Amino acid sequence: MRRESHVRFCEGGGVRFPSATRLVMGFQHQHEAEQCLAAWRERLGQFGLELHPDKTRLLAFGRYAASDRKRRGEGKPETFDFLGFTHVCGRTRSTDRFWVHRRSSMKRLRKKLAAVKTELQRRWHDPVPEVGQWLRRVIQGFYNYHAVPGNWESLRCFSREVCRMWFRRLRRRSQKRHITWARFAPVAALWIPRPRILHPYPYVRFDATHPK
């Protein structure tokens, strides 16, 4: 069966296609990006599909984006979100070379914190060791994905907010005496992992996989 017939058959039968994976494409020249975008829209239109207007855009990104925008009297280079990270044009501190900063998307971060808060409410009266073990797994799982070079501040923000939510829950649960931060600090140090970078720099990973 041809692809065109298959697409028309599914659309006629009321079958909804899942959202396609987001794609980031890089081009050296602006006219090449514009030509590719126009060709892509035309190709998808042949199957009755279209690109999402709010999630499809062209932006200047790369080592020359900041200097080009400054020469035109514009602000800082635009950023974009991809795979849970906000990608920013930056520079290294030591060598002042171009570097793509990857920071945890604030939308994803707030969503994850809201889910942790809801689960803490459900586990309100559970023993402290059980809640601590669960929080350790949650935070370590967040580190395993988001602990990329340059994203230490987001890791620290996530662990700090989780500690604050846990501390407030324990204070509200206590009926005899309030739990002070001095008493809670050893508990947090026991169960909350400290933020640290787990993933190597891209050039280190590439050299390890493909040595010269």
Side-chain angles (χ1 to χ4, degrees):
M1 179 182 294
R2 295 181 58 193
R3 179 178 177 85
E4 294 86 345
S5 302
H6 177 68
V7 171
R8 287 197 298 268
F9 171 79
C10 290
E11 291 178 348
V15 178
R16 297 188 60 183
F17 290 96
S19 301
T21 303
R22 296 185 180 183
L23 178 66
V24 176
M25 303 178 66
F27 299 88
Q28 183 176 0
H29 303 288
Q30 181 177 352
H31 70 275
E32 296 177 347
E34 294 174 349
Q35 291 177 359
C36 179
L37 182 59
W40 202 3
R41 284 191 173 121
E42 181 181 356
R43 180 60 175 168
L44 291 178
Q46 297 177 2
F47 301 99
L49 306 175
E50 61 181 3
L51 297 174
H52 197 290
D54 298 332
K55 298 180 181 180
T56 304
R57 57 175 174 151
L58 295 176
L59 55 90
F61 196 91
R63 65 181 62 190
Y64 305 113
S67 58
D68 292 345
R69 291 178 64 89
K70 184 178 180 180
R71 185 174 61 253
R72 295 193 299 265
E74 300 175 351
K76 295 182 179 180
E78 297 181 76
T79 63
F80 66 93
D81 292 348
F82 184 66
L83 298 179
F85 292 96
T86 299
H87 295 69
V88 185
C89 293
R91 314 289 297 186
T92 59
R93 294 183 178 180
S94 57
T95 60
D96 195 32
R97 298 178 60 183
F98 172 76
W99 183 36
V100 179
H101 286 266
R102 290 180 293 171
R103 303 170 183 171
S104 298
S105 173
M106 291 305 299
K107 181 179 179 181
R108 292 283 188 92
L109 188 61
R110 295 191 187 99
K111 184 178 180 180
K112 185 63 176 180
L113 287 174
V116 173
K117 182 179 180 180
T118 302
E119 185 64 17
L120 275 176
Q121 293 175 349
R122 193 183 69 83
R123 295 173 178 261
W124 196 321
H125 299 288
D126 290 356
V128 172
E130 293 184 9
V131 178
Q133 292 178 2
W134 169 72
L135 287 177
R136 174 185 289 176
R137 293 194 299 268
V138 170
I139 296 177
Q140 189 60 51
F142 185 85
Y143 290 170
N144 291 342
Y145 185 81
H146 291 266
V148 298
N151 196 36
W152 187 87
E153 185 62 29
S154 297
L155 304 180
R156 187 177 70 89
C157 176
F158 182 78
S159 61
R160 183 181 66 240
E161 292 301 320
V162 171
C163 284
R164 288 180 178 177
M165 288 189 294
W166 193 18
F167 176 64
R168 288 194 293 265
R169 291 300 166 191
L170 291 178
R171 283 177 63 93
R172 294 185 61 183
R173 189 178 71 170
S174 177
Q175 298 179 357
K176 295 183 179 180
R177 58 180 179 176
H178 291 295
I179 298 178
T180 62
W181 185 262
R183 292 185 57 199
F184 174 74
V187 178
L190 178 63
W191 298 110
I192 304 299
R194 297 176 61 88
R196 62 190 183 93
I197 301 301
L198 301 177
H199 299 282
Y201 286 87
Y203 69 88
V204 175
R205 183 187 301 112
F206 182 81
D207 290 344
T209 307
H210 305 280
K212 296 181 180 179

